[in-house]
């Protein structure tokens, strides 16, 4: 009997209506996150990872909409909820830490007011006293002195603000927390301490995390599994431990791995990936990565590869399943393991 | 607290500067009020009478610095000089008679315009793209685009002259005397409606569109999205998270508008012959009534400064970042 996933994405596509036509920012994404685990979601700017995060929270704004697929959180279809149900479902069951630590807090309300507001919005019968007590407790959990309950956001450092945002995110003990580049705006030292904090809280509280980032080494360290996104598609889901160049990966993942600077190996050259990310308005037929891929074969420009098992996870690359007509000489597929979606 | 003292000190210095400039300016102008008075009497004034007048208006050949202290003493003790136009009425009396009319008319209308404009600005931004948002801002802008005294003239012509719904001019009817009677108040209200409407139509759009645009920007802020995600109720989200931040620039505009309340809406008052300070000031300028102009300017300057002081203090209550001097962004 398989464990019920916290988050289950089934063929999710998100489209932005633009004047130049619809842009598929997220295309056909299927993914599962299990209770108490950390799933990394990685990709370069504009690959659709934040859009996917917002889509899960049903926070798509303006001209963006969920075009296809279903998003289930704790077996509940997020897009089947009424606005009223959605308001209580969000934060009770799933919450989100935004990219913008500096601007996610209301500048004219104290830290305490903003935490109490969160609690009271969901627990109208909670007394102010109890809400304040909980606010104090939450600040302790993220290691901020309780004197800052009365501080305004502008009186806190960026790291402290992000801790407050994290405290608000876990205030109602959700099962899933989406973290959209929670440390991007912070310097490296603060980044480290926040990550440590996240790991501790996660171990303590047992919520699952979808950790969105563009920092490969950071995600590899934090998450158990990593999903790699390219041009709106998930091209690989791999065990975080396997993320090194000694094993075969999706060509894009390999490109990213080669681009990580290493302080320990003097002789390893850092390489960028040649070419540009594709224009989402004008995606090539077949594999979107084909124009930049060193392994490219004729089939790549005509057939979209599906996610298939490979030795360390799933990859959407013709290289790993030549049965679809890939070029000879590629390694034959490994036996199916736990990586069944 | 430090902020409050700081503002108070600034206020005191500004008032002193305004008072001093008000003293210096007329003395830099060619001629003097007595000459103007002389001209007014069309040479039918003997030199002795002229000298007497000069003395009466406080003009002397004292050194400037002594004049300055006499002037300051006069200000404090309420001797602001005598009006030429209504000689020998003190200018303070003239102003005291017209100021309530202006504050009543322009003040109430401005408050109404600010509150209604701001509230509807919040609402139209919240229901962006709704029918009200699609009509009201454009309609109000269309009305405001017309010069407001022209709007006033149209109102007088159609609602006053053609339809005879409202009186054409003045602050109250000829049949009543200013008193606390119901008849007078009713008459004053009836006379006030058209000028009030003129001022309202001329300013409402600014408040509405200003607030709407601030609000639209604020609604896109991360903290509003975050608050929505964390489950804050829509009404609270609109008021406490979005409007609470979007209203701050409106407060600044309001400070400027308070200044206009005292200085009056000159053109509107002229169009409606409304007995306010704007009409009085216009007459004073035409009559070269220096003491009255000077007194009026002083009242206006001090009122504007006082309004700014109040708004500064209010701002500190509304925006915590102002209190601490906004060190961190």
């Amino acid at each position: 009997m398989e464990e019920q996933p916290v988050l289950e994405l089934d063929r999710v596509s998100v489209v932005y209506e633009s004047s130049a036509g619809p842009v598929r920012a997220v295309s056909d994404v299927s993914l599962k996150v299990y209770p108490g685990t950390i799933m990394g979601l990685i990709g370069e700017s504009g690959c659709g990872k934040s859009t996917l995060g917002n889509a899960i929270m049903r926070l798509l704004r303006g001209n963006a909409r969920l075009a296809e697929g279903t998003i289930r959180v704790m077996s509940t279809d997020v897009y089947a909820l009424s606005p009223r149900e959605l308001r209580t479902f969000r934060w009770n069951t799933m919450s989100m830490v935004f990219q913008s630590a500096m601007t996610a807090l209301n500048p004219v309300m104290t830290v305490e007011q903003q935490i109490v507001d969160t609690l009271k919005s969901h627990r109208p019968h909670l007394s102010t006293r109890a809400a304040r007590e909980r606010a104090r407790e939450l600040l302790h959990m993220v290691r901020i002195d309780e004197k800052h309950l009365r501080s305004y956001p502008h009186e806190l450092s960026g790291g402290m603000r992000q801790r407050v945002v994290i405290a608000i995110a876990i205030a109602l003990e959700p099962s899933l927390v989406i973290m959209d580049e929670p440390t991007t705006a912070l310097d490296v030292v603060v980044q480290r301490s926040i990550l440590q904090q996240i790991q501790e809280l996660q171990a303590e509280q047992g919520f699952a995390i979808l950790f969105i980032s563009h920092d490969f080494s950071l995600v590899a360290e934090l998450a158990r599994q990593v999903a790699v996104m390219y041009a709106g598609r998930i091209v690989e889901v791999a065990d975080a431990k396997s993320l090194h160049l000694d094993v075969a990966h999706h060509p894009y993942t390999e490109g990213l791995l080669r681009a990580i600077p290493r302080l320990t190996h003097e002789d390893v050259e850092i390489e960028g990936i040649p070419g540009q990310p594709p224009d989402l308005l004008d995606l090539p037929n077949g594999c979107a990565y084909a124009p930049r891929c060193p392994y490219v074969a004729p089939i790549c420009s005509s057939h979209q590869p599906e996610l298939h098992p490979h030795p360390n996870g799933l990859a959407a690359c013709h290289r790993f399943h030549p049965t679809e007509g890939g070029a000879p000489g590629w390694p034959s597929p490994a036996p199916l393991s736990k990586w069944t979606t | 607290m430090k902020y409050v003292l700081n503002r108070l000190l600034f206020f005191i210095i500004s008032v002193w500067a305004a008072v001093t400039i008000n003293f210096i300016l007329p003395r830099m102008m060619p001629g003097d009020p007595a000459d103007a008075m002389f001209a007014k009497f069309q040479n039918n004034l003997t030199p002795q009478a002229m000298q007497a007048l000069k003395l009466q208006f406080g003009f002397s050949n004292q050194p400037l610095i002594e004049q300055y202290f006499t002037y300051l003493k006069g200000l404090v003790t309420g001797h602001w000089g005598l009006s030429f136009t209504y000689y020998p009425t003190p200018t303070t009396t003239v102003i005291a008679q017209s100021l309530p009319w202006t504050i009543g008319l322009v003040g109430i209308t401005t408050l109404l315009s600010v509150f209604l404009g701001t509230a509807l600005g919040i609402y139209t931004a919240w229901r962006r793209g709704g029918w009200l948002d699609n009509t009201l801002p454009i309609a109000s802008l269309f009305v405001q685009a017309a010069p407001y005294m022209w709007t006033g003239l149209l109102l007088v012509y159609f609602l006053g002259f053609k339809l005879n719904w409202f009186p054409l001019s003045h602050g109250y009817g000829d049949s009543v005397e200013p008193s606390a009677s119901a008849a007078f108040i009713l008459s004053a209200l009836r006379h006030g409606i058209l000028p009030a409407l003129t001022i309202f139509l001329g300013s409402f759009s600014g408040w509405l569109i200003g607030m709407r645009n601030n609000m639209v920007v604020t609604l896109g802020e991360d903290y509003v999205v975050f608050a929505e995600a964390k489950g804050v109720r829509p009404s609270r989200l609109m008021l406490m998270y979005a409007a609470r931040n979007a209203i701050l620039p409106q407060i600044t505009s309001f400070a400027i508008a308070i200044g206009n309340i005292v200085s009056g809406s000159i053109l509107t008052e002229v169009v409606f012959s409304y007995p306010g300070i704007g009409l009085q000031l216009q007459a004073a300028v035409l009559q070269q009534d220096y003491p009255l102009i000077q007194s009026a300017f002083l009242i206006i300057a001090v009122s504007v400064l006082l309004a700014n002081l109040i708004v500064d203090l209010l701002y500190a209550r509304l925006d915590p970042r102002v209190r601490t001097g906004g060190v961190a962004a």
Side-chain angles (χ1 to χ4, degrees):
Chain A
M1 180 64 196
E2 206 184 341
E3 203 181 356
Q4 196 61 35
V6 177
L7 171 68
E8 197 178 356
L9 304 177
D10 186 26
R11 302 206 158 257
V12 170
S13 295
V14 179
V15 166
Y16 285 88
E17 297 298 344
S18 78
S19 50
V23 180
R24 280 179 101 79
V26 174
S27 201
D28 213 12
V29 165
S30 298
L31 193 69
K32 287 177 183 174
V33 179
Y34 289 94
T37 62
I38 303 182
M39 167 70 84
L41 180 62
I42 201 154
E44 59 202 17
S45 301
C47 74
K49 54 192 195 301
S50 290
T51 303
L52 184 59
N54 288 333
I56 297 168
M57 288 296 287
R58 203 168 144 186
L59 278 173
L60 293 172
R61 294 213 155 195
N63 52 1
R65 61 183 172 84
L66 182 77
E68 288 147 35
T70 49
I71 297 172
R72 289 177 202 282
V73 176
M74 295 301 280
S75 308
T76 304
D77 184 344
V78 176
Y79 284 76
L81 297 168
S82 71
R84 190 180 293 261
E85 289 167 335
L86 178 68
R87 191 175 73 78
T88 47
F89 185 77
R90 275 201 296 232
W91 239 252
N92 269 315
T93 312
M94 58 174 181
S95 68
M96 186 163 181
V97 174
F98 287 89
Q99 193 167 352
S100 41
M102 306 307 276
T103 53
L105 296 171
N106 186 344
V108 299
M109 283 169 84
T110 62
V111 167
E112 184 179 49
Q113 283 172 323
Q114 301 194 45
I115 300 178
V116 167
D117 233 21
T118 315
L119 296 167
K120 288 208 148 191
S121 297
H122 291 278
R123 313 262 189 277
H125 303 296
L126 194 72
S127 72
T128 306
R129 193 193 182 84
R132 286 189 172 168
E133 189 46 49
R134 175 72 175 149
R136 194 199 315 271
E137 195 183 302
L138 283 164
L139 275 204
H140 277 302
M141 282 167 69
V142 294
R143 297 220 196 87
I144 294 181
D145 194 305
E146 64 177 66
K147 73 173 184 205
H148 288 302
L149 279 171
R150 261 168 257 303
S151 296
Y152 287 93
H154 73 274
E155 295 165 330
L156 304 178
S157 68
M160 284 163 100
R161 276 185 238 184
Q162 193 59 295
R163 281 166 194 271
V164 171
V165 170
I166 291 170
I168 291 174
I170 61 170
L172 300 166
E173 301 179 336
S175 311
L176 171 70
V177 181
I178 296 166
M179 298 196 168
D180 186 3
E181 310 217 17
T183 59
T184 303
L186 308 170
D187 68 68
V188 185
V189 179
V190 179
Q191 209 170 32
R192 176 101 350 235
S193 81
I194 296 261
L195 282 181
Q196 220 164 22
Q197 181 86 70
I198 291 171
Q199 278 175 314
E200 282 174 26
L201 288 170
Q202 196 266 342
E204 242 172 73
Q205 313 268 315
F207 47 83
I209 300 177
L210 180 65
F211 193 97
I212 302 171
S213 177
H214 62 250
D215 188 335
F216 213 120
S217 47
L218 193 144
V219 169
E221 195 180 319
L222 188 74
R224 191 203 283 178
Q225 288 174 39
V226 175
V228 181
M229 239 176 139
Y230 185 77
R233 287 175 183 272
I234 291 192
V235 294
E236 177 163 7
V237 183
D239 202 327
K241 288 193 189 69
S242 75
L243 286 174
H244 45 78
L245 286 165
D246 300 340
V247 289
H249 285 286
H250 187 281
Y252 178 59
T253 314
E254 287 182 2
L256 290 177
L257 285 170
R258 265 193 289 273
I260 300 173
R262 281 180 191 73
L263 294 173
T264 43
H265 304 261
E266 276 178 38
D267 50 339
V268 176
E269 263 186 62
I270 302 167
E271 288 172 41
I273 301 174
Q276 293 287 320
D279 180 359
L280 289 174
L281 267 170
D282 185 25
L283 280 173
N285 287 328
C287 175
Y289 191 62
R292 305 169 79 182
C293 181
Y295 306 101
V296 67
I299 188 179
C300 298
S301 50
S302 57
H303 287 76
Q304 177 71 51
E306 294 282 321
L307 272 176
H308 278 283
H310 79 105
N312 297 296
L314 302 162
C317 179
H318 294 297
R319 189 157 69 112
F320 295 112
H321 38 96
T323 43
E324 274 187 21
W330 284 346
S332 54
L336 292 179
S337 57
K338 51 178 175 160
W339 302 106
T340 35
T341 31
Chain B
M1 205 51 227
K2 195 180 158 214
Y3 175 80
V4 175
L5 286 176
N6 203 339
R7 289 291 97 188
L8 271 175
L9 189 71
F10 179 78
F11 170 71
I12 291 166
I13 293 174
S14 314
V15 169
W16 171 77
V19 164
T20 306
I21 291 171
N22 205 33
F23 168 79
I24 295 171
L25 271 186
R27 281 161 181 78
M28 285 168 67
M29 290 194 291
D32 66 42
D35 290 338
M37 194 80 174
F38 182 71
K40 209 176 149 192
F41 281 93
Q42 294 176 336
N43 299 335
N44 294 331
L45 213 61
T46 62
Q48 287 88 340
M50 177 86 174
Q51 186 60 31
L53 269 182
K54 281 197 173 192
L55 278 176
Q56 187 146 26
F57 287 120
F59 275 85
S60 58
N61 298 324
Q62 283 174 326
L64 216 55
I65 190 79
E66 267 177 53
Q67 289 183 34
Y68 180 58
F69 281 109
T70 316
Y71 161 80
L72 283 186
K73 196 175 147 214
L75 278 189
V76 176
T77 52
H79 295 96
W80 288 29
L82 304 177
S83 163
F84 295 165
T85 327
Y86 304 99
Y87 183 79
T89 319
T91 55
T92 44
T93 314
V94 178
I95 289 172
Q97 274 168 1
S98 51
L99 201 56
W101 287 100
T102 292
I103 291 177
L105 172 73
V106 191
I108 292 171
T109 316
T110 302
L111 286 180
L112 216 61
S113 183
V114 171
F115 280 118
L116 222 58
T118 304
L120 285 168
I122 293 172
Y123 184 80
T124 48
W126 186 253
R127 295 252 180 269
R128 197 174 169 191
W131 68 270
L132 196 65
D133 185 38
N134 285 334
T135 52
L136 192 62
I138 293 173
S140 69
L141 201 61
F142 179 78
V143 174
Q144 188 164 350
Y148 69 94
M149 59 280 183
W150 182 71
T151 313
L153 287 171
L154 285 185
L155 289 176
V156 170
Y157 183 72
F158 287 106
L159 300 184
F161 182 69
K162 282 278 187 191
L163 295 169
N164 215 3
W165 288 354
F166 299 103
L168 300 176
S169 60
H170 301 303
Y172 52 92
D174 299 330
S175 54
V176 290
E177 279 294 307
S179 65
S181 67
F184 169 71
I185 292 170
L186 221 65
S187 172
L189 281 178
R190 262 173 55 80
H191 281 78
I193 286 176
L194 285 187
L197 198 60
T198 306
I199 298 170
F200 182 83
L201 291 176
S203 61
F204 171 72
S205 181
W207 299 108
L208 171 78
I209 289 173
M211 187 62 195
R212 182 193 170 275
N213 290 355
N214 294 340
M215 186 76 180
V216 165
V217 171
T218 310
L219 282 173
E221 293 282 349
D222 294 323
Y223 54 81
V224 175
V225 181
F226 187 58
E228 188 193 342
K230 78 181 188 185
V232 174
R233 277 167 212 289
S235 58
R236 189 169 169 77
L237 185 70
M238 174 173 82
L239 296 175
M240 281 307 291
Y241 285 80
R244 183 70 172 65
N245 281 286
I247 207 165
L248 295 172
Q250 292 283 98
I251 304 285
T252 309
S253 313
F254 184 55
I256 299 165
I258 296 178
N260 292 338
I261 293 177
V262 182
S263 62
S265 192
I266 295 181
L267 287 174
T268 309
E269 290 187 3
V270 171
V271 167
F272 291 96
S273 300
Y274 200 80
I277 199 160
L279 190 68
Q280 202 63 262
L281 195 60
Q282 189 232 13
V285 170
L286 292 179
Q287 305 278 334
Q288 291 184 300
D289 189 345
Y290 290 95
L292 189 54
I293 296 172
Q294 213 177 350
S295 302
F297 278 171
L298 196 62
I299 289 277
I300 291 166
V302 173
S303 310
V304 170
L305 289 170
L306 199 64
N308 275 295
L309 175 70
I310 292 167
V311 165
D312 272 348
L313 297 180
L314 190 68
Y315 216 101
R317 292 266 346 130
L318 289 176
D319 190 350
R321 283 165 296 187
V322 171
R323 256 171 272 166
T324 43
V327 186

